[in-house]
Amino acid sequence: MRAVVFAGDGRVSVESVTDAAVADPTDAVVRVRRAAVCGTDLHTVTHAEHVPRGTVLGHEFAGEVVEVGPAVVGHRVGDRVAGADFTACGTCWWCRRGDHWECAQRRFFGTGAAFGPALAGAQAELVRVPFADTVLRPVPADVDLDAAVFLGDTLATGYAAVRRCGLRPGDTVAVLGGGPVGQLTSLAAQACGAGVVVVVEPVDGRRALAAREGALGTDPDGARALVEQVTDGRGADAVIDAIGGPRGLDAAFGLVRRRGTVVSVGVHADPTWALPVARAFADELTLRFAIGDVMRDGDALLALVRSGAVDPTVVASETVALDDAPDAYRRMAERRTLKSLIAL
């Protein structure tokens, strides 16, 4: 089969690799019809300490089941499915609580050993899916695969951020970062009752997209003034950091009100960050982190998409063939395109 692989030195290429196949009784093999390039993929190829050359990349996918192991009971050959971006056993103490990310058998598609034992990714003609009954989500006939591909990560992450911030109807939410996750976080917050959503983003086109989709857009320099304007000077009830790192956390703490909540869903590579403890204590602030989880939230995510409350395809700025994926990686890294889908 053909797949997008890490070629070393920050590069990707499309190569022939061994076909994905059932290896364990709980496995399924999915013929990928839609994959997507994610910011995490860009991070993976530029910070490749845990990623050997030849690793099949990608963790966002939707397609059709073509093979199932003997222990798979929830899926049949021919079923339309979307995959989570990581695996979980579905039966341990953590999984039974809905905390799949904490599962000891977690593996993240297409990122080498960064988040657990290596597992080949989904920017490929076929992908092996361990624990298929838990990891795969049936896609109803009225949901297009262009939308379904977002269920496993980008939309799941935005929704998890909104849940974790304790959003109440009418709240003002500031979202830092107008990339795909930030845009879908904004849509999820609006669908869940936010009164005002402010998207903070330096790129003009991304601010314009946020505004077209119901948010207020501002560049970082104007963020504090706009948030104060719409909250009578209090600050945002919740700030969701979709940037990551000290820069995102510092900016979030600069916008949140007293007794407010900061939720970070951006990727963090720095081992430490200087928490403003004195202010956090005096203002009774809450800081939380969130990982998207379609295995836990799939019913809610599908309801948002099927009802039309959230259209995740608004962030898909191009669809390319598998052979064109390396160019799509470059365009996304250079911020010349927002989100690339791969049609197979």
Side-chain angles (χ1 to χ4, degrees):
M1 68 179 189
R2 291 177 60 74
V4 180
V5 302
F6 175 57
D9 300 322
R11 297 177 297 108
V12 302
S13 61
V14 178
E15 300 178 10
S16 294
V17 300
T18 303
D19 283 359
V22 166
D24 294 314
T26 61
D27 288 354
V29 174
V30 173
R31 182 172 301 283
V32 178
R33 298 300 186 187
R34 292 292 184 278
V37 183
C38 177
T40 301
D41 299 326
L42 302 180
H43 183 83
T44 296
V45 300
T46 55
H47 300 81
E49 295 87 354
H50 306 285
V51 185
R53 292 190 182 198
T55 295
V56 178
L57 299 170
H59 55 271
E60 295 179 291
F61 66 99
E64 301 154 4
V65 176
V66 295
E67 185 182 3
V68 295
V72 175
V73 298
H75 303 287
R76 297 180 180 180
V77 172
D79 285 355
R80 299 169 79 240
V81 292
D85 53 355
F86 65 94
T87 71
C89 72
T91 59
C92 70
W93 186 84
W94 293 104
C95 288
R96 293 196 306 272
R97 287 169 50 91
D99 296 328
H100 301 97
W101 182 253
E102 316 306 331
C103 177
Q105 300 191 65
R106 179 186 75 213
R107 301 167 75 181
F108 200 102
F109 289 97
T111 54
F115 301 107
L119 179 63
Q123 290 169 3
E125 293 173 327
L126 300 169
V127 60
R128 172 191 167 224
V129 182
F131 304 114
D133 282 334
T134 301
V135 176
L136 293 177
R137 167 72 50 166
V139 175
D142 60 346
V143 175
D144 191 271
L145 292 182
D146 283 351
V149 74
F150 290 97
L151 296 173
D153 182 4
T154 312
L155 180 56
T157 298
Y159 180 73
V162 171
R163 287 190 65 202
R164 193 62 63 89
C165 78
L167 177 70
R168 294 183 295 183
D171 276 355
T172 296
V173 178
V175 178
L176 303 182
V181 169
Q183 299 286 349
L184 295 193
T185 299
S186 170
L187 294 183
Q190 293 176 61
C192 291
V196 177
V197 177
V198 175
V199 174
V200 183
E201 166 59 47
V203 177
D204 292 346
R206 296 182 176 191
R207 290 198 305 273
L209 173 61
R212 288 197 302 270
E213 296 299 324
L216 301 178
T218 179
D219 62 26
D221 291 339
R224 183 68 204 179
L226 179 57
V227 169
E228 289 185 349
Q229 177 185 339
V230 298
T231 62
D232 294 327
R234 292 187 303 274
D237 301 294
V239 182
I240 297 172
D241 161 35
I243 301 171
R247 180 170 62 96
L249 290 169
D250 287 339
F253 271 73
L255 296 178
V256 70
R257 66 163 170 81
R258 294 190 296 273
R259 301 202 74 189
T261 300
V262 170
V263 177
S264 181
V265 294
V267 175
H268 291 272
D270 298 86
T272 61
W273 165 65
L275 172 71
V277 177
R279 189 205 162 196
F281 170 73
D283 288 352
E284 298 184 284
L285 300 180
T286 298
L287 171 62
R288 311 184 78 176
F289 296 84
I291 302 290
D293 185 356
V294 68
M295 294 176 269
R296 176 191 63 219
D297 297 328
D299 288 345
L301 296 172
L302 276 171
L304 289 171
V305 172
R306 297 180 80 182
S307 69
V310 173
D311 176 9
T313 67
V314 298
V315 303
S317 46
E318 65 176 10
T319 300
V320 303
L322 184 65
D323 285 337
D324 297 324
D327 287 336
Y329 267 77
R330 282 190 287 272
R331 287 190 292 273
M332 283 187 61
E334 295 166 0
R335 293 192 174 186
R336 291 190 286 131
T337 191
L338 181 60
K339 181 79 170 179
S340 299
L341 301 186
I342 301 171
L344 294 93

